[in-house]
Structure formats: structure tokens, C-alpha cells
Amino acid sequence: MNPDATTTGADAIDEAIASGNDFDGSPIPQAKLGLYHQVMGLEAGRQRSGVSNTMRSRIVRIGAKHIPQAELNQMLVDADFAPLKDKEIAFYYSGK
């Protein structure tokens, strides 16, 4: 990885994968890179259900790491998204 590259931000992981090196400079094993690219290729060919659905999914998946459940739920409702579903609460918040 480029020594000036950052380990923060949305693109940091993609940049490391593209370089084939982890943040510590060690090479990512080819078996891991190969499997990653195989699965991402499958995902690239998947039909999408709509931009709003994908936006909501990303907000929930990432927001749950940073925002308390009640606050994230209210933020979703305020933005006219569906509130958190029971299965999302169980998955993302059951261990917190």
C-alpha cells in the first residue's frame, strides 16, 4: 500500500485490495484476493431492487456501528425510510 495512503474513509479498503497489500504493508494472500474478487463479481451481476432500498441498507449496516438503536431508528423515520425491522435490531444491536 502507498505509504501516504490513509486507513480511514470509505475508499481505504478498496484501495488496499486494489494494491494487494494490507494496511501494514503485508501482501494479501492470493487465495483471499481471488475469493473476494469471485464473490464481488457475483454481486456486480445481481439485479438491484432500487436506490432507496440500497441506501437504507447501507445506512442501517454502517449506522448501527456508530449510532444508538433508538437514535438511528428515529433518523430513518425522519428521512422517510422504513424504521428498523426486528431482524435488523436483533442482528445489529443484540450484542450491544
Side-chain angles (χ1 to χ4, degrees):
M1 185 161 181
N2 177 344
D4 296 327
T6 180
T7 59
T8 62
D11 296 332
I13 297 294
D14 291 334
E15 291 171 8
I17 292 167
S19 77
N21 293 303
D22 206 329
F23 292 145
D24 65 2
S26 64
I28 301 169
Q30 286 302 310
K32 289 182 179 182
L33 283 172
L35 177 58
Y36 176 83
H37 289 301
Q38 178 183 355
V39 171
M40 291 304 107
L42 294 170
E43 180 66 9
R46 183 175 63 88
Q47 180 64 41
R48 303 296 181 202
S49 59
V51 174
S52 287
N53 289 340
T54 300
M55 287 173 57
R56 185 192 176 284
S57 294
R58 290 178 180 176
I59 290 167
V60 170
R61 178 173 43 88
I62 296 167
K65 296 176 188 175
H66 306 283
I67 304 170
Q69 176 186 331
E71 187 177 345
L72 179 58
N73 193 57
Q74 189 59 54
M75 293 167 81
L76 289 166
V77 171
D78 290 349
D80 203 26
F81 284 111
L84 289 169
K85 301 171 188 170
D86 289 342
K87 67 180 184 178
E88 292 169 332
I89 293 168
F91 184 81
Y92 292 110
Y93 289 101
S94 65
K96 292 183 178 182

